[in-house]
Amino acid sequence: MQTWRPYTSCYPALLGLAGCAVGGGAGRPDALVVAALAPALGWLSGHYLGDYFDRCLDAIGKPHRPIPSGRLSTEAALYGGLACAALSAGLVVWANWRIVPLFAVAMAGIVGYSKVFKRRGIAGNITRGSLTALTLVIGAMVAAPLPPWPLLPVAVGFLLHDTASNLVGTVRDVDGDRAGGYRSVAVQRGARHAVRLALRLYAGGVALVALGTAWATADPVAQLALTTVAATTGVIAFAPLVRAGDVVGARAALRAHELLVAERLVLAAAVFAGAAGGRFAVALVLPVLLFSLLTQALMRARHEFPPAAVAAGGKDWG
């Protein structure tokens, strides 16, 4: 369960649903199920494989995690990742064989992120953001032979948005990344530069998603309203990081990222609302949001920080 990170696992499913709705599948239950399950399984595959490839880095900075602590074997992580990838591949092939090249690129991105790009600064963050854009496009292609062009600026918007979110995550992990030889933006240029870059990327991403309102076919007002809610939450998440300047504590960075994990659910629901209707989107996102917030509260700190720091109430987190 810790490897699955359940507080994030609903996000790819929502992205797939949003893409499927924009692709014309809002009224097709079979397409919606595949559009949700295939990205969710691919996401779980990425968590298993990411933990497998990051096991040496985690042994330095996060030895309490499942693999370095010995609670999950390297073989189980590898086979779990491959099994989830195979199930996801089977679903997308059944839905639309044209998805296969994109699926291959996504899997290459998952492996490349952990093996190559994560240690190379902004390249790793962009790779992570690209996976989100691909999830939207794949979701659309579950319902349509090819992705509709109005989805493309929205996909770029989510690329920028998740690049920003991933950058905030690296601010939390500066000490472990530096010790492991990972040259993240925060390690190379400092927390202030990383946060400001993330904020600019975030603003551009949300603006592109808001631009997608112009092509909403069902409920553009709901799409704009939910996008505004997401943007407001994003401002709340970034504000303390901007004020902190060069000294951003790990706990402050985690709080900001926790908010962004919740915020991006609302942003994905905004796209879904524009194509499927606001009431449907709100009914879908509220329980998902509650689930994410509850599981973050129960599990997130224990996954990111050593047990002694959690027991100390965050005093050792910066």
Side-chain angles (χ1 to χ4, degrees):
M1 289 297 291
Q2 289 176 345
T3 300
W4 284 5
R5 299 161 179 80
Y7 37 85
T8 71
S9 58
C10 293
Y11 179 51
L14 270 182
L15 286 171
L17 288 172
C20 183
V22 175
R28 294 173 48 193
D30 58 332
L32 290 172
V33 169
V34 173
L37 280 180
L41 286 167
W43 191 271
L44 292 181
S45 172
H47 282 323
Y48 274 121
L49 295 177
D51 280 8
Y52 173 80
F53 289 119
D54 287 347
R55 61 192 185 278
C56 294
L57 177 65
D58 285 344
I60 296 171
K62 300 176 181 180
H64 57 282
R65 282 193 168 180
I67 292 179
S69 68
R71 291 176 292 121
L72 179 69
S73 70
T74 55
E75 293 81 6
L78 177 60
Y79 296 149
L82 294 176
C84 288
L87 290 170
S88 180
L91 286 171
V92 299
V93 169
W94 176 81
N96 182 358
W97 62 267
R98 296 175 183 86
I99 298 175
V100 172
L102 294 180
F103 181 84
V105 171
M107 291 307 302
I110 288 172
V111 175
Y113 171 69
S114 294
K115 286 285 288 181
V116 179
F117 299 113
K118 186 175 180 179
R119 65 181 71 241
R120 298 173 186 253
I122 193 64
N125 309 126
I126 293 173
T127 300
R128 179 61 190 78
S130 299
L131 296 175
T132 302
L134 283 171
T135 301
L136 269 172
V137 174
I138 288 172
M141 292 178 67
V142 169
L146 295 172
W149 70 265
L151 184 67
L152 298 182
V154 176
V156 175
F158 273 93
L159 186 158
L160 297 177
H161 177 282
D162 273 29
T163 299
S165 176
N166 193 252
L167 261 172
V168 172
T170 64
V171 173
R172 180 193 64 236
D173 294 332
V174 167
D175 292 339
D177 285 346
R178 183 180 288 115
Y182 280 55
R183 305 296 296 168
S184 70
V185 173
V187 168
Q188 295 183 71
R189 301 288 300 274
R192 183 194 299 268
H193 178 83
V195 168
R196 290 182 175 180
L197 175 58
L199 182 57
R200 289 194 291 270
L201 290 167
Y202 176 85
V206 172
L208 284 172
V209 176
L211 181 64
T213 305
W215 296 286
T217 57
D219 198 340
V221 174
Q223 179 168 341
L224 186 59
L226 287 171
T227 302
T228 302
V229 172
T232 302
T233 307
V235 170
I236 295 171
F238 273 101
L241 301 184
V242 173
R243 288 196 299 266
D246 290 320
V247 183
V248 179
R251 179 57 183 165
L254 177 63
R255 283 198 191 101
H257 199 262
E258 286 174 342
L259 278 175
L260 291 175
V261 166
E263 171 268 343
R264 64 191 186 185
L265 294 172
V266 179
L267 196 62
V271 179
F272 185 76
R279 290 184 180 180
F280 192 6
V282 171
L284 179 66
V285 76
L286 285 180
V288 167
L289 191 58
L290 180 61
F291 174 77
S292 178
L293 291 171
L294 285 175
T295 51
Q296 282 201 88
L298 291 171
M299 300 178 64
R300 188 77 191 272
R302 289 174 174 80
H303 189 69
E304 302 294 346
F305 299 109
V310 176
K315 296 178 182 179
D316 301 326
W317 303 357

